[in-house]
Amino acid sequence: MSKQAAEGDDAFRTDQAADSAIPEGLKVGQRAPDFTLMTADGTSVRLSDYRGSTVLLNFWASWCPPCQVEMPYMQDFYEEYRQKDVVVLAVNMSHLEKNPGDAAAFLDEVGASFPTVYDHQGEVTDRYRIVAYPTTYVLNASGVITGRYQGAIDHDLMVKAYERAR
């Protein structure tokens, strides 16, 4: 093994140790709490599955007018930035939906192609203290919160949040 490779390995281990020292919480500069939810087809998804990517973690409901305005921007942003290691992870607050199929119908209507998971019991919504819809947390590649937005955000704000998270 070359000296350069060994130094790179040490740097990686140091970065991992530094990352694990960051406290978990909901404030900017804290590591976002991990969770596991299911997709519509029953696939289990963990937030930590996306470590290494910038994540826009978006909490929404199909009946929410600001969510309806924001979702097409989310799709446009995702299409434009997904090749740059960006993920939009949409958390449908399905415990607040009026009808079970409303969220899927809305996602079809806007042509959403980003990962979507369903919070049927409201546990993740509660854990993230979501009180305004939509709410978006922006996480850097280490899973650390770099921004939090209550209310709809547009494409330009998503780009600025992404740049800040890098």
Side-chain angles (χ1 to χ4, degrees):
M1 172 180 358
S2 72
K3 182 177 182 190
Q4 186 176 19
E7 288 172 358
D9 290 347
D10 288 344
F12 179 71
R13 279 192 285 277
T14 302
D15 289 346
Q16 281 184 321
D19 285 349
S20 65
I22 297 170
E24 184 179 277
L26 297 174
K27 295 179 181 173
V28 170
Q30 296 180 322
R31 182 177 318 286
D34 201 10
F35 60 83
T36 302
L37 290 172
M38 301 291 206
T39 63
D41 68 4
T43 303
S44 179
V45 174
R46 289 179 59 110
L47 176 60
S48 58
D49 292 343
Y50 297 105
R51 290 270 165 80
S53 298
T54 301
V55 176
L56 273 68
L57 178 62
N58 179 254
F59 291 84
W60 67 282
S62 66
W63 50 262
C64 156
C67 302
Q68 294 167 353
V69 168
E70 177 186 66
M71 199 60 73
Y73 291 119
M74 287 279 175
Q75 178 60 32
D76 291 346
F77 175 80
Y78 180 64
E79 286 177 12
E80 185 178 344
Y81 281 84
R82 68 194 233 184
Q83 299 304 319
K84 297 179 182 182
D85 262 344
V86 175
V87 174
V88 171
L89 179 59
V91 177
N92 176 253
M93 298 178 291
S94 48
H95 63 291
L96 301 176
E97 291 289 351
K98 296 173 182 148
N99 297 303
D102 287 352
F106 176 70
L107 291 170
D108 285 344
E109 183 181 314
V110 298
S113 61
F114 44 77
T116 300
V117 293
Y118 295 85
D119 189 9
H120 296 295
Q121 304 305 315
E123 292 171 5
V124 176
T125 301
D126 289 346
R127 187 171 185 193
Y128 274 78
R129 298 186 188 131
I130 305 302
V131 295
Y133 320 124
T135 293
T136 302
Y137 283 88
V138 181
L139 315 178
N140 69 15
S142 297
V144 174
I145 299 168
T146 61
R148 180 176 185 262
Y149 302 89
Q150 288 184 314
I153 57 178
D154 64 17
H155 184 271
D156 290 341
L157 191 52
M158 290 176 205
V159 171
K160 288 176 186 170
Y162 161 73
E163 293 294 334
R164 221 171 306 141
R166 293 178 12 137

